[in-house]
Structure formats: C-alpha cells, structure tokens
Amino acid sequence: MVEEELIIGRNLKKFFPIKTGLTSRSNIYVKAVNDVDIVIKKGEVVGLVGETGCGKSTLGRLLIRLIEPSGGELYFSPPPEVLNKIKSNQKLSDEELKNYSIFHMHKNKLREMRKKFNIVFQDPYSSLDPRMLIKDIVAEPLFSFGWKKKDAYARVQELLEKVGLPAEFMYRFPHELSGGQRQRVAIARALSLSPEFIVLDEPTSALDVSVQAQVLNLLEDLRKEFNLTMLFITHHILVVRHISDRIMVMYLGKIVESAMKDEIFKDPKHPYTQALLSSVPIPDPRVKIERIILEGDVPSPINPPNGCFFHPRCRHAFEPCGFTTDELIEPLRFVLDNKRNPEMGNAEIQEMNVIDDLNMEVTFNNPVQQGVVESIIQKEKEQTRALYGIKEISVNGNLLKIKMHEPVDPKLKDIGNEHLVACHLVNPPEIK
Ligand SMILES: Nc1ncnc2c1ncn2[C@@H]1O[C@H](COP(=O)(O)OP(=O)(O)OP(=O)(O)O)[C@@H](O)[C@H]1O
Ligand code: SF4
Ligand SMILES: [Mg+2]
C-alpha cells in the first residue's frame, strides 16, 4: 500500500513570456501550468493525460525542476512534521524550505537531489547524442557525479542487462539501434543514478504498437524491482491504463480530475474526462460509455476562458461556469432571429453592443416583449449552453439589456475515495 507523499506541488505555475515585438520585454504569457496542486505518493505510478498543448510536459519538467517555475512551491519527500505543516498551510522555516523545497534549495543540495529524479523523453532519436557510444550515453550522469570509469562502465553493463539489451550494445552508436532499443538505452540512462522519481514523457508514442507494449512491460518490471515512483505522460489514456495506479487529467494548464485508475474508468466525473474516455475503445464489455464528441479546439493558454476553462466545449455548462458576453453574440443572433423564431414578430436585431464581460445591449428595429425573449432563452438554452450564462434581462422598447452570471472557478475537491474533481456539477457553488 503506497501512502507516503514523495512529491507535493502547491499552486504550481509556469508562464512562458511571448515576444510580440522588437523589445525583449513581454507582458503576454502562455499559461502552460496554471495553479496546479499535485501529490504523488512513494511507489505510485501516476498517468497524466490530456490533449496536446494542455501543459503535461511543462508540468513534468517543473516537477523535476528541469525548468524554472513562475510560481508555487514544490516539496520532495518531507518528513512527517514538515508534511503536517504543508498540509495545514503553515509557514515553513527557512531551514525547512532549504531542505525540502525543490524551489528553495541551495544549489549544492539541489545538485545532490538531482540524483533522485530523472526524465525519459518521447523521441529516442533526438534525445540520445548521435556522436556518443551507448556506454558513454548511459554513463554520462555517473561521470557527472564523479564515478570512476571502471565502476561506471560496470554499472552501464548491469543497467543494459536490466533493460533487456546485450552488453555488446555498449559499443554501438544510437543510429545502429532500433527505436525501441534506443528508448531502452534512454531508460537505462535515466536509471543510472538509482532515482526515486522518473518522469516519462510519452516514452512509447514514437514506437510501433508491438514495441510500445514491450517497453511498457519493461517499465512495469523496473517499477516493481526498484520501487520507482513515476509520472507517465501521454495524450492517449489507454497507454497508461495498465501501468498506472492513479490517473490525472489535465486541461489547459490545470488538473481537472484525479482518481485511482479503476474509479476513473468506471465513474469519470468531469465532463472532459468523460469525453476523453468516450473517444477511446475500452476493451471491457462491462464499461459502457456513450460517445461524446469534443467540439472545438483547446482554447489558447495565452488568454484562457473565464470560470471553468472547459466551459466553451462543455455540454453540461451552466450558470456559474463562466460564459461572457462575447460568447453570447452569435447564439443571440441565432435564437432571436425573427425569420427563425416567429415569436419575435417584426423585431430584427440592429445592433449588439458588448459593454464588458458581463453586460451587453441589443437594439432592435421595433419594440420587443420581455416575456417573449425570456421564453425563447428558456426554450433554447439546453441546446445553446451560452444562454445559461444570462442572469437577467430587461427590455425597454427597442432595447434589450443583458446581465451575465459572475464566473466561478471550479476548485479541485475531494469527493471521497481519493477522487478529486474540479467541476461545478459535483461541487455546486452559490450562483451569483
Ligand atoms: N518554451 C516554451 N515557450 C513558450 N511556450 C511554450 C514553451 N513550452 C511549451 N509552451 C506552450 O505551453 C503550452 C503547454 O505545452 P506542453 O508542451 O507542456 O503541452 P503538452 O500537454 O505536453 O502537449 P503535447 O501532448 O503536444 O506534448 C503549449 O501552448 C505550448 O505551446
Ligand atoms: S464546471 Fe463542470 S459543468 Fe461547468 S463547464 Fe466546467 S466541466 Fe462543465
Ligand atoms: Mg508534451
């Protein structure tokens, strides 16, 4: 039973500045990781899934401080008394921060810590230096920690054996190996310093399906043998179905759901997870999933939507989910069109004026009836979810004024059984 927390991330952020002009300064950012709380327990394999561009690799790199954070805190293996403080949001002493916070550690201590985590990248073709022999590629981390050549090469031989490669591969160059063999070399190198935590960033997606299965089996064996803790990143949820203990689902820089594997496959709560799962064939006749088409693209992480980031694509979005007036323009033009809706009589839309995110005005050529508009909105909102965002309307002659509900950010909430969900459906807020 895994219980001890190995990695704890709080409010993790990584914002990449975007250059927009000739000046080097920028105030536009890609919010690749946007306020993530994460806990990974010792010995656990966590599958991190989500569509392309949702921030999986950035989060993985942040967790081993391969990139510098824009905010938040990251702790590695804190002892119980420090853990209690972290959990109860107490301030840590400078000493505690220096010892257990990856972002505050002195560089000498951080260098020592680097032995404890490593990463395997997606592309085994570009991640291995083509000019180096395999023995030196695998030994490189050992040399950087002062290992003598003789000991390092003996260790390389042992590691190659562990990943199922013959010792003579030590004297080959990467181009003399197949994709699967190269990925085994990358895994051997990642294991060289006996790490406790490994990030695997799409380690099998560049490989043929049959080779994928072999590499997954190898990882499974290594995980048991070395009691490794792993974060396995993939955009294909089925890849991690077997190997993971727990699955985390990421959308636009945030974790939206996290649960033990069986629970998430049987009872996904977040509409995004439901859509992801419905798009893959689950080879289990007991699991019946309705096919849900994920419409539209992932919005830009530069300017994410208000409220719940998923609301523009969510088929359950409702009042607090974050609709803004700009999302209402097209739906209103459609539902209040008098050619489509005879109830609108001879009132045609003349002008739509967005005042701010929550207020707008629509001017008609003829007077409209408040009751008629209200009944159309009521009738159409199941189909046109943005209409749920309307809080109140008032009509004065030709002028329709619209006020929207205030957006509420869904927070990750534990609904029991270590199942965390960030969705207003499971944790309904007060509607403002
Ligand atoms: N160095 C960088 N500079 C600017 N933007 C970046 C940088 N690295 C990543 N991004 C952006 O951050 C967002 C998240 O990228 P990331 O690579 O973490 O996504 P991902 O979930 O791993 O996607 P994929 O499944 O395609 O690998 C994307 O919008 C990406 O364009
Ligand atoms: S909070 Fe839940 S219901 Fe609302 S948009 Fe997000 S996922 Fe959909
Ligand atoms: Mg990636």
Side-chain angles (χ1 to χ4, degrees), residues 5 9 18-19 33 52 76-77 80 125 153 202 211 221 247 259 275 284 333 388:
E5 282 92 343
I18 297 287
K19 287 210 183 84
V33 172
T52 181
F76 190 84
S77 202
Y125 295 87
Y153 292 141
E202 309 252 13
V211 183
D221 293 344
I247 292 193
D284 183 344
R333 216 185 278 291
Y388 267 105

Side-chain angles (χ1 to χ4, degrees), residues 24 408-409:
S24 56
V408 185
D409 298 347

